[in-house]
Amino acid sequence: MQITRHDEPIQTNGEPPMIGHALPDFEVTNAEGQTVRPADLAGQYTLLSVVPDIDTRVCSISTKRFNQSIDNFKHINFLTVSTNSIDEQANWCAAEDVHSMQLVSDSDHNFGEAMGLYVDNNGTDARSVWIINPEGKVAYRELITEQTHEPDYDSALAYLEAHQELG
């Protein structure tokens, strides 16, 4: 998939899953060093906010914005996926006072490669927002083509609002 960063074209390693398709198998690592797989997310709705680098402005803004909304959604998982290490993510959470949003590390690029979001020339995953239904299928996706832009928070949160009783 072609995207841009500062209007310069860059390429991901593939095409991301379409709405209605199952998540591909992947592994990310949570703050406790445990592996998280799609099967671990089954049974309730999950919002996956994918950011290239948590230590950059837009990634920080979007993670904090979703973090502010978590308390309005019981029974829904909120995860931010970045290629930063667990330690870098923990340092960012401490510095930014973010405690609700769960950050998971894709430092080995397993998630990005499986999802078709990995950008080889800078070692990051393409910014995107995903909502996965309780059966593990993509229910909502926003692929942000210009990586310096923020996602459409309102649309993602409205989708969750409409489905939170089902989760």
Side-chain angles (χ1 to χ4, degrees):
M1 168 180 79
Q2 184 170 339
I3 57 176
T4 58
R5 181 167 169 76
H6 300 291
D7 296 320
E8 293 293 322
I10 53 178
Q11 192 72 30
T12 68
N13 69 306
E15 290 298 321
M18 302 294 289
I19 290 175
H21 290 197
L23 275 182
D25 194 33
F26 63 79
E27 294 182 356
V28 290
T29 307
N30 69 16
E32 290 77 37
Q34 299 165 327
T35 299
V36 177
R37 295 177 180 86
D40 300 321
L41 307 175
Q44 63 189 48
Y45 277 90
T46 298
L47 180 139
L48 297 173
S49 174
V50 181
V51 300
D53 181 349
I54 196 65
D55 290 318
T56 59
R57 186 183 69 81
V58 176
C59 298
S60 182
I61 289 169
S62 64
T63 302
K64 288 188 279 189
R65 174 70 168 82
F66 281 126
N67 182 70
Q68 293 169 354
S69 302
I70 290 175
D71 290 339
N72 298 328
F73 297 96
K74 306 298 181 212
H75 313 295
I76 294 177
N77 293 318
F78 277 76
L79 285 85
T80 292
V81 179
S82 80
T83 55
N84 300 87
S85 70
I86 295 169
D87 289 340
E88 290 170 326
Q89 291 176 341
N91 291 339
W92 179 87
C93 286
E96 298 295 336
D97 198 32
V98 170
H99 303 290
S100 300
M101 190 83 177
Q102 182 184 104
L103 274 69
V104 292
S105 175
D106 185 33
S107 60
D108 65 0
H109 315 295
N110 184 276
F111 170 86
E113 289 175 356
M115 293 286 287
L117 297 171
Y118 181 64
V119 179
D120 187 50
N121 73 333
N122 65 12
T124 64
D125 295 337
R127 184 181 318 284
S128 51
V129 176
W130 303 82
I131 297 175
I132 311 309
N133 71 17
E135 293 77 41
K137 294 188 177 184
V138 176
Y140 173 100
R141 75 176 198 169
E142 180 187 4
L143 305 171
I144 294 100
T145 53
E146 170 51 55
Q147 294 295 285
T148 61
H149 293 171
E150 293 178 53
D152 181 355
Y153 308 107
D154 293 339
S155 291
L157 295 172
Y159 184 92
L160 287 178
E161 183 71 36
H163 292 86
Q164 85 171 326
E165 295 306 317
L166 304 173

